Amino acid sequence: MAEHGYLADEGLATVVFLALHMRRPLLLEGDAGVGKTEVAKVLARWTGGELLRLQCFEGIDASQALYEWDHARQLLHLRAAEAAGALSSSVEEVEAEMYDERFLVRRPVLAALGTRKVPGTIRGDAPPVLLIDEVDRADDEFEALLLEVLSDWTVTVPELGTITAAVPPVVVITSNRTRDVHDALKRRCLYHWVEHPTFEREVAVIRLRVPEADEVLAREVAAATAQLRTLGLYKPPGVAESIDWATALAALGRRTLDAASVDATLGAVLKYREDAERTRSFGIDALVDALRSRTSDA
């Protein structure tokens, strides 16, 4: 995974290996911004499989996750056949033609049951990587919908029959744990809680993802981000924010953090006004002093 831009700790690397070896879905829980979604992207780059992403939200249903019929194309086809005098006189034949697979719009979950080759990849026959992102945002009914797919790798389309994956996709499900995922779904998955990285690992991640940030800047950003996480913020910054912060500082030509640069770039790491106000109440100078102490001790 490191070769593809992800520094996983031993626990995460082990569960990823087991998920691939056992062909089981991988459920990753953890705070927002700790790198759960990135795992699926890295697996797609690593295996050469096509990345199919399903972003969950409240009210998501089968037509957005599995499939729907392209009614506009069906109607256009019907009118064209009528104009050409090619429309069958048999109702059954017309219905069969209207529900031909060419009018089926495959959404991410159904598309993942195929094994389309990805041009330009070394292993073009690799199974796709299905990312079901933030499943905790979806309703209970959507979780029940996933169970059939994750159990048997099948989807039933009444007009066509049951579609079964010849090769199961690699499945990564993420949750920010805004609510508990049901036990039935958990039982079908391998589970891992993704923690914020240690200080040294976060420095290494920043150096890997932001090569223009030198060692000093990477250590100071990691230390400042760690300090921000202790302030009881509404949305504590994750690794993604520390990478954004280092990228912003490097783009501004900063080689080290001071009070002025922290204050000017706070929007790269904190995304709520209340969190920025709380940080300024704590004191930007105090934050800089804390990171200096952290980096000098490390």
Side-chain angles (χ1 to χ4, degrees):
M1 295 176 72
E3 292 180 0
H4 296 278
Y6 195 103
L7 295 179
D9 59 26
E10 185 175 356
L12 178 58
T14 300
V15 78
V16 167
F17 168 78
L18 291 175
L20 294 175
H21 181 72
M22 298 167 66
R23 294 187 173 181
R24 293 278 296 277
L26 176 60
L27 173 59
L28 299 177
E29 281 195 327
D31 295 334
V34 294
K36 303 183 295 296
T37 300
E38 194 64 23
V39 170
K41 297 177 181 177
V42 168
L43 284 176
R45 292 198 292 270
W46 179 16
T47 64
E50 181 183 14
L51 177 64
L52 298 165
R53 179 172 183 167
L54 178 65
Q55 177 63 54
C56 297
F57 54 88
E58 186 177 358
I60 189 172
D61 59 21
S63 67
Q64 293 150 325
L66 300 180
Y67 70 90
E68 64 179 335
W69 291 102
D70 189 339
H71 297 304
R73 282 194 63 202
Q74 288 174 316
L75 184 60
L76 186 63
H77 174 78
L78 186 62
R79 289 177 174 172
E82 281 180 330
L87 192 63
S88 172
S89 58
S90 167
V91 175
E92 289 77 12
E93 289 183 4
V94 172
E95 289 183 348
E97 190 173 352
M98 295 300 292
Y99 287 102
D100 187 86
E101 193 167 345
R102 59 184 157 150
F103 299 119
L104 185 70
V105 180
R106 291 172 177 257
R107 298 305 185 195
V109 173
L110 181 58
L113 301 188
T115 53
R116 287 180 292 170
K117 294 186 176 181
V118 182
T121 60
I122 297 174
R123 284 164 283 180
D125 57 348
V129 176
L130 174 61
L131 169 62
I132 302 174
D133 212 9
E134 299 183 337
V135 72
D136 51 321
R137 288 174 176 256
D139 304 320
D140 294 348
E141 292 76 10
F142 178 73
E143 281 192 36
L145 185 69
L146 286 178
L147 294 181
E148 178 188 1
V149 180
L150 300 183
S151 297
D152 304 320
W153 308 115
T154 62
V155 169
T156 300
V157 181
E159 297 85 355
L160 297 177
T162 298
I163 298 173
T164 304
V167 179
V170 176
V171 180
V172 177
I173 305 171
T174 73
S175 167
N176 294 333
R177 209 175 188 182
T178 56
R179 67 168 178 82
D180 284 334
V181 176
H182 286 195
D183 290 344
L185 182 59
K186 285 186 174 179
R187 281 196 298 272
R188 286 162 174 79
C189 303
L190 297 184
Y191 175 86
H192 185 76
W193 176 267
V194 183
E195 296 277 6
H196 287 291
T198 62
F199 174 73
E200 294 298 340
R201 185 173 296 280
E202 188 154 11
V203 171
V205 169
I206 293 172
R207 293 297 312 277
L208 179 68
R209 298 294 300 275
V210 192
E212 57 271 30
D214 61 19
E215 179 75 12
V216 172
L217 182 60
R219 297 185 77 82
E220 291 191 353
V221 168
T225 304
Q227 183 64 31
L228 289 172
R229 291 176 189 142
T230 68
L231 300 183
L233 304 178
Y234 173 71
K235 170 65 173 65
V239 181
E241 283 74 30
S242 64
I243 292 171
D244 284 348
W245 201 7
T247 303
L249 291 162
L252 294 173
R254 303 289 182 176
R255 303 288 300 273
T256 185
L257 275 176
D258 53 33
S261 59
V262 169
D263 192 55
T265 59
L266 210 52
V269 67
L270 299 178
K271 307 304 171 64
Y272 287 86
R273 186 190 65 178
E274 293 81 0
D275 287 346
E277 289 176 348
R278 175 167 291 193
T279 300
R280 290 190 173 97
S281 297
F282 172 77
I284 299 295
D285 289 330
L287 180 67
V288 173
D289 290 343
L291 76 88
R292 292 272 183 269
S293 176
R294 177 70 179 267
T295 53
S296 62
D297 292 342

